[in-house]
């Protein structure tokens, strides 16, 4: 089996990798939290969260807090599983002699 078989193309981009990393260690993150932590523009973050949502790796919950819209993100079970497989594959690749 090739060392790169479990490397997932969805996580190739640093912003998607960052989004998943934040969500794996937090119960949830909202749009502004991700934007600040990853230091990205609104449009950039929106396009990458849409890609993760389309892959069914994250759940998106839109709500209003007072009169302000709020978008929260959480990982899906599939997203957690695929991200762990991706990280394991990277570790195996790095540790290969």
């Amino acid at each position: 089996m090739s060392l790169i078989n479990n490397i997932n193309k969805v996580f190739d981009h640093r912003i998607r990798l960052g989004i998943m990393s934040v969500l794996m260690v937090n119960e949830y993150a909202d749009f502004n939290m991700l934007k600040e932590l990853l230091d990205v523009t609104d449009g950039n973050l929106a396009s990458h969260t849409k890609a993760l949502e389309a892959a069914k790796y994250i759940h998106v919950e839109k709500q209003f807090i007072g009169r302000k819209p709020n978008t929260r993100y959480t990982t899906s079970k599939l997203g957690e599983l695929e991200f762990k497989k991706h990280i394991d594959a990277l570790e195996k690749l790095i540790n290969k002699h």
Side-chain angles (χ1 to χ4, degrees):
M1 178 161 107
S2 171
L3 277 177
I4 59 172
N5 277 356
N6 284 327
I7 293 180
N8 190 323
K9 291 233 11 117
V10 174
F11 305 127
D12 269 358
H13 198 282
R14 68 180 181 83
I15 295 172
R16 286 186 219 145
L17 190 65
I19 292 166
M20 289 302 294
S21 296
V22 170
L23 293 178
M24 291 294 286
V25 297
N26 291 284
E27 187 177 332
Y28 66 88
D30 68 19
F31 189 88
N32 289 330
M33 177 184 178
L34 288 172
K35 182 180 163 189
E36 186 177 308
L37 286 171
L38 301 174
D39 193 26
V40 294
T41 65
D42 288 7
N44 213 343
L45 182 57
S47 68
H48 289 291
T49 54
K50 282 185 180 117
L52 290 168
E53 183 183 19
K56 302 202 182 316
Y57 291 167
I58 63 171
H59 298 293
V60 179
E61 178 187 330
K62 294 183 184 265
Q63 59 187 1
F64 280 88
I65 297 177
R67 293 177 168 249
K68 294 179 105 177
N70 179 269
T71 304
R72 279 183 12 166
Y73 304 94
T74 56
T75 56
S76 67
K77 291 292 180 199
L78 176 63
E80 287 181 24
L81 177 70
E82 291 299 319
F83 192 70
K84 285 177 183 172
K85 281 176 24 183
H86 179 73
I87 296 302
D88 288 345
L90 289 175
E91 286 175 348
K92 284 180 181 143
L93 185 61
I94 290 167
N95 294 324
K96 186 72 176 164
H97 299 282

